[in-house]
Every structure is written in structure tokens, then in C-alpha cells.
């Protein structure tokens, strides 16, 4: 006997909306280096309370956390970039932050599709 995960219509709609937010984060991340992700972040903050008690809530928190950590590491890279000596290190930090943000977006999208909550 197999066990199937049953979700109500509201949870399915919230999952679909979260998928769209992951895609929006990915697109803004690719085409604006994350600068336009602030718009998607606002939607995450607005929609998160509606998903309290579901796996989708953890996905909103995951996207929010990913955005803010990306901002922190980008700021560190900018501080390093103002010095000539720090430019190579700044490029390394930016590259690592970019890869990390890409990982968070991809992992979150895949885990959402597999009905898994994110570790937040």
C-alpha cells in the first residue's frame, strides 16, 4: 500500500505561486545580477503569512534568506573592490555568491516540486 501526499487546493495554488517566484528570482538574478529581486522579495514577504503551516512557508523563508545573504556577500565584495589589492578577492566573493544563490534557487525549486520543506 502506498501513501500519497494529499494537498488541498489552496496549498497547490500556493505551491504554484512559489514556483513562479523561484522563476522570477532566477530571471532577475540572471538579467540584473539580483538587483530586481527586491521586487520579488516584497512578494515573498507579502505571501509568506498566507502559507503558515504548509511546506510553502519554508520555501518563502528560503527565498528571503537567500536574497539577504546574497546582498551581504555582494556588499562585502563591493567593499573589497574599492581597493586595488582587494579586486581579485572581490571577484572571487562575487563568483561564490553567484554560485551559492544559483544553488539556493535550483535546490528550492526542485524540493518544492518534490513536496519537501526547506531547512530554515
Amino acid at each position: 500500500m502506498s501513501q500519497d501526499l494529499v494537498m488541498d487546493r489552496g496549498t497547490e495554488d500556493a505551491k504554484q505561486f512559489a514556483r513562479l517566484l523561484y522563476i522570477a528570482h532566477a530571471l532577475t538574478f540572471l538579467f540584473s545580477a539580483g538587483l530586481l529581486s527586491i521586487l520579488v522579495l516584497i512578494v515573498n514577504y507579502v505571501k509568506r503569512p498566507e502559507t503558515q503551516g504548509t511546506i510553502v512557508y519554508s520555501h518563502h523563508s528560503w527565498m528571503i534568506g537567500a536574497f539577504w545573504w546574497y546582498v551581504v556577500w555582494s556588499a562585502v565584495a563591493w567593499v573589497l573592490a574599492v581597493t586595488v589589492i582587494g579586486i581579485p578577492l572581490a571577484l572571487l566573493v562575487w563568483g561564490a555568491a553567484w554560485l551559492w544563490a544559483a544553488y539556493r534557487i535550483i535546490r528550492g525549486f526542485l524540493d518544492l516540486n518534490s513536496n519537501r520543506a526547506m531547512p530554515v
Side-chain angles (χ1 to χ4, degrees):
M1 178 184 277
S2 69
Q3 292 183 347
D4 293 325
L5 182 63
V6 178
M7 293 190 191
D8 63 8
R9 186 76 222 147
T11 303
E12 279 300 320
D13 290 344
K15 275 182 59 181
Q16 184 60 29
F17 195 77
R19 280 186 194 100
L20 294 174
L21 290 177
Y22 274 119
I23 292 167
H25 272 292
L27 291 174
T28 61
F29 179 66
L30 287 173
F31 295 114
S32 72
L35 294 175
L36 293 176
S37 284
I38 191 77
L39 302 173
V40 185
L41 177 76
I42 293 167
V43 176
N44 278 123
Y45 275 118
V46 169
K47 289 300 213 177
R48 185 170 62 166
E50 298 173 11
T51 61
Q52 183 72 35
T54 68
I55 65 166
V56 181
Y57 185 86
S58 69
H59 284 274
H60 284 295
S61 297
W62 179 262
M63 287 183 265
I64 290 167
F67 174 85
W68 287 115
W69 279 110
Y70 182 71
V71 167
V72 167
W73 286 109
S74 292
V76 168
W78 276 109
V79 169
L80 290 170
V82 298
T83 65
V84 174
I85 297 170
I87 290 174
L89 187 55
L91 293 173
L92 184 66
V93 171
W94 271 319
W98 192 92
L99 288 173
W100 178 82
Y103 160 77
R104 295 272 296 205
I105 292 168
I106 293 167
R107 179 175 176 206
F109 187 83
L110 293 175
D111 282 0
L112 180 64
N113 285 335
S114 299
N115 294 317
R116 288 191 297 256
M118 299 311 298
V120 287

